[in-house]
């Protein structure tokens, strides 16, 4: 049995670029290899829905401390030694010191498509 060199994948992106779609596509294949796929956006929305410091369930309304706690949580997940695919705005930055982690940046250069995708998602 060969040892896996790649332990994690960190997918960084801004909103509506397709990174979550990429995460779900990777999950179809990599879950068979033991990877767990996590969207930090989903984690933040769940935290916002139950947070005392959120006035509505949007993650950007959470406190700096809440965001720092989430970054620390993601860093701990990636450092756990178990294989993960993490997707989120700062996933690559949070993973910068985690060895054997592939960092991917997803971008979308067309602002019209990005706006349409964001509007459709948030509707």
């Amino acid at each position: 049995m060969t040892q896996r060199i790649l332990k994690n994948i960190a997918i960084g992106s801004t909103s509506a670029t397709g990174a979550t779609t990429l995460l779900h596509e990777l999950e179809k294949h990599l879950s068979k290899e033991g990877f767990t796929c996590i969207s930090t956006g989903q984690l933040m929305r769940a935290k916002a829905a139950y947070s005392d410091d959120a006035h509505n369930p949007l993650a950007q309304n959470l406190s700096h401390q809440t965001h720092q706690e989430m970054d620390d949580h993601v860093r701990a997940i990636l450092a756990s030694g178990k294989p993960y695919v993490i997707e989120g705005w700062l996933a690559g930055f949070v993973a910068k010191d985690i060895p054997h982690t592939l960092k991917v940046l997803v971008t979308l250069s067309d602002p019209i498509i990005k706006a349409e995708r964001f509007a459709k998602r948030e509707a």
Side-chain angles (χ1 to χ4, degrees):
M1 181 173 168
T2 60
Q3 184 177 10
R4 178 188 298 137
I5 294 172
L6 180 64
K7 302 211 187 237
N8 302 299
I9 301 172
I11 304 169
S13 68
T14 57
S15 296
T17 58
T20 303
T21 301
L22 174 60
L23 174 74
H24 294 308
E25 289 299 314
L26 288 172
E27 185 172 28
K28 291 176 187 177
H29 305 283
L30 294 179
S31 63
K32 298 170 191 169
E33 300 295 325
F35 282 83
T36 300
C37 297
I38 299 173
S39 166
T40 60
Q42 289 176 334
L43 292 175
M44 289 299 280
R45 283 188 281 282
K47 186 160 186 73
Y50 299 102
S51 177
D52 291 337
D53 65 352
H55 300 294
N56 64 53
L58 297 175
Q60 56 266 40
N61 289 334
L62 295 174
S63 70
H64 174 74
Q65 178 181 349
T66 300
H67 283 277
Q68 184 63 52
E69 289 169 359
M70 183 61 67
D71 290 349
D72 293 343
H73 177 64
V74 169
R75 195 173 292 107
I77 287 171
L78 291 171
S80 71
K82 297 177 184 173
Y84 282 94
V85 180
I86 301 281
E87 176 270 325
W89 181 45
L90 294 174
F93 178 77
V94 170
K96 69 180 170 124
D97 295 325
I98 308 295
H100 308 291
T101 299
L102 174 65
K103 294 144 196 97
V104 178
L105 177 62
V106 178
T107 62
L108 179 59
S109 60
D110 188 326
I112 301 299
I113 294 173
K114 188 173 179 178
E116 289 170 349
R117 292 179 72 170
F118 184 82
K120 182 179 178 182
R121 183 186 77 196
E122 297 300 321

